[in-house]
Amino acid sequence: SEYRDGAGPSRPASAGRLRLQMRRVLAFRAFLLLLLALPGPAALGAEPPSVVEEVAALLSGTFDSKAQAEADPKTWKAVRLVAVRVPKSRLGDPVLYVEQALLATPDKPYRQRFYRLEETADGGVVSRVFEPKDKLAVSGKWRDPSDLALFGERDVAERIGCAVRLKKTPEGWFGGTEGKNCPSALAGARYAESDVRLYPDRMETWDRGFDVNDEQVWGSEKRPYEFERRSPGPPAEGSK
């Protein structure tokens, strides 16, 4: 080739190479203009998911804090969290049923909730929290979420003041409860605060209770629980 023996190219070859490069640049510019002229995904019918659908997808699945508990068993417990979409729920759409239990005793949940997701005027999402009145009736129903569709407002009690408001960030969806409006009587508390961070591979939740003097009386004092996503759907039968 021209460079094999270390000698530089002759002037005619250099001029020809320059013309070739210019043609490539012009062709690339024409290609970019063609791409800009093409219809975008929205025009082709591929609408991006709504913000509530995006949050619903991040919330849905099987999660656990096993890794965190193994790293510091004195501070953290191994907890499993299962969240499933409730099809055609009487509470609205989208609605998720969420069940938490110790990983060692998954059939004995200690927290059961319905979350109804609503878009806010500023493009955020609010998750309204409902507690089932008959917890035994919904226990383990993540196995067949369609059974939960008949549970309506008469079957639940909304936890007024405990709604979680989420905003989108470059990392995920972050938010929490507002002020001192979420009541709690656990361990002498007057109100509770919940902070939530949703990532594609995990969620972090930090629940804490405070007394009338704003002193923390329950919940982690260090940092939030870290729930790693194990699957995008419910757990396989027999798994822990």
Side-chain angles (χ1 to χ4, degrees):
S1 70
E2 295 172 322
Y3 292 98
R4 187 169 296 171
D5 59 3
S10 62
R11 286 189 176 181
S14 179
R17 188 179 297 277
L18 180 61
R19 286 194 296 271
L20 179 60
Q21 290 175 345
M22 288 298 296
R23 286 197 296 269
R24 288 175 175 173
V25 169
L26 292 174
F28 182 66
R29 288 180 176 176
F31 177 67
L32 288 179
L33 291 174
L34 178 62
L35 286 180
L36 292 174
L38 290 174
L44 295 173
E47 290 287 345
S50 66
V51 291
V52 290
E53 291 294 338
E54 186 176 340
V55 171
L58 290 174
L59 278 170
S60 300
T62 301
F63 307 78
D64 68 52
S65 60
K66 182 179 179 180
Q68 189 180 35
E70 289 178 345
D72 186 0
K74 293 183 179 180
T75 303
W76 310 102
K77 295 180 180 180
V79 176
R80 188 180 77 175
L81 186 153
V82 180
V84 295
R85 186 83 169 257
V86 180
K88 300 180 180 179
S89 172
R90 288 185 176 180
L91 293 174
D93 184 63
V95 168
L96 292 96
Y97 171 66
V98 183
E99 190 172 286
Q100 286 179 237
L102 293 177
L103 199 58
T105 55
D107 293 327
K108 297 179 180 179
Y110 63 84
R111 179 178 292 180
Q112 297 157 272
R113 299 284 190 268
F114 288 98
Y115 294 163
R116 185 175 68 204
L117 305 180
E118 302 171 2
E119 184 175 356
T120 59
D122 58 358
V125 171
V126 59
S127 174
R128 303 198 181 279
V129 183
F130 299 85
E131 186 171 356
K133 294 179 180 178
D134 187 349
K135 295 180 176 59
L136 186 61
V138 300
S139 181
K141 290 295 184 180
W142 49 261
R143 295 178 176 86
D144 190 359
S146 60
D147 285 349
L148 297 167
L150 296 178
F151 285 80
E153 295 186 358
R154 293 184 178 182
D155 307 302
V156 299
E158 183 174 5
R159 292 182 58 81
I160 302 297
C162 299
V164 173
R165 298 183 179 275
L166 299 165
K167 297 287 186 182
K168 191 171 185 178
T169 74
E171 294 81 19
W173 285 80
F174 297 175
T177 53
E178 293 185 332
K180 305 176 182 180
N181 301 319
C182 182
S184 172
L186 180 64
R190 177 179 174 272
Y191 66 94
E193 290 182 356
S194 293
D195 293 311
V196 179
R197 294 191 174 194
L198 303 177
Y199 302 91
D201 62 338
R202 70 188 190 281
M203 73 168 69
E204 297 178 358
T205 64
W206 199 352
D207 299 330
R208 293 168 291 173
F210 299 86
D211 63 16
V212 293
N213 299 315
D214 297 327
E215 296 288 337
Q216 185 174 343
V217 293
W218 62 260
S220 170
E221 296 181 0
K222 295 181 178 180
R223 54 193 176 92
Y225 261 93
E226 298 172 2
F227 292 95
E228 297 182 14
R229 182 187 294 275
R230 301 304 179 189
S231 71
E237 285 295 336
S239 65
K240 288 187 178 181

